[in-house]
Amino acid sequence: MTSAELLTDAYGRIREEVRSAVDGLAPEQLAYRVDGTANSIAWLVWHLTRVQDDHIADVAGFEQVYTAQGWAERFGFPFPPSAIGYGHSSADVDAVRVDSPDLLIDYHEAVHAQTLRFLEGLKEEELGRVVDERWDPPVTLGVRLVSVVNDDLQHVGQAAFLRGVLERR
């Protein structure tokens, strides 16, 4: 198995969990916040998908799916299209409301497709390329790709937990 195949499998697992976390939920369930200030399922899935979109587009030299394919307009959130959720206030989290889980699923599917296009052409020797010198040590492509998997799996796990809470109410 190559590194690209391994990463493809990892990103595929995120995709499967995103669908499981949101499919069939009503808008009020997607917006539910456990204590009124915690992150909602909608925000978590939007955020994890924005992180993947932003970070993969950056290392691949692609335009983000969010802007290139009109997702920013479809979501219609009151923050700039460059926002990915880092530093969001409680009010920002509350603003992430969707009428259907399909919007979240479809956006994630589009980002997943772009991620796969990038991974299909990935060569082993590229994984050591430095993609971010703001850190010590500098971040390599391999580390960035694994970091996105890690971040996304944590957030989709949180969304799945929230779904479980909702289903037990």
Side-chain angles (χ1 to χ4, degrees):
M1 177 178 269
T2 67
S3 296
E5 291 168 335
L6 183 64
L7 288 162
T8 297
D9 181 78
Y11 281 96
R13 291 170 190 239
I14 297 164
R15 176 183 176 231
E16 291 168 10
E17 294 303 322
V18 162
R19 182 173 293 280
S20 294
V22 302
D23 196 32
L25 293 180
E28 61 274 4
Q29 291 173 307
L30 292 166
Y32 175 72
R33 299 175 78 187
V34 172
D35 63 358
T37 60
N39 295 329
S40 67
I41 293 172
W43 185 87
L44 288 162
V45 171
W46 172 81
H47 167 66
L48 75 86
T49 306
R50 287 294 297 125
V51 167
Q52 185 175 335
D53 192 4
D54 175 78
H55 288 31
I56 298 297
D58 181 57
V59 298
F62 298 154
E63 184 177 350
Q64 290 182 30
V65 170
Y66 198 65
T67 52
Q69 296 180 17
W71 290 100
E73 291 80 17
R74 282 181 245 182
F75 279 102
F77 297 145
F79 18 86
S82 60
I84 64 171
Y86 286 128
H88 266 187
S89 67
S90 183
D92 292 332
V93 172
D94 203 47
V96 177
R97 295 184 179 260
V98 295
D99 293 332
S100 166
D102 293 339
L103 186 64
L104 294 163
I105 292 169
D106 292 347
Y107 173 48
H108 191 82
E109 288 289 330
V111 170
H112 182 71
Q114 179 154 287
T115 298
L116 291 183
R117 278 193 300 278
F118 173 66
L119 293 175
E120 285 171 359
L122 186 64
K123 307 278 188 267
E124 295 289 322
E125 58 272 12
E126 294 176 84
L127 294 172
R129 173 174 59 97
V130 172
V131 296
D132 191 344
E133 294 186 359
R134 295 174 296 169
W135 301 93
D136 185 20
V139 177
T140 64
L141 176 59
V143 168
R144 177 59 45 86
L145 294 172
V146 169
S147 176
V148 172
V149 168
N150 179 61
D151 186 68
D152 281 4
L153 285 173
Q154 288 185 56
H155 287 313
V156 79
Q158 293 165 345
F161 173 79
L162 288 172
R163 182 182 182 121
V165 167
L166 287 167
E167 289 175 347
R168 285 163 180 77
R169 289 178 31 162

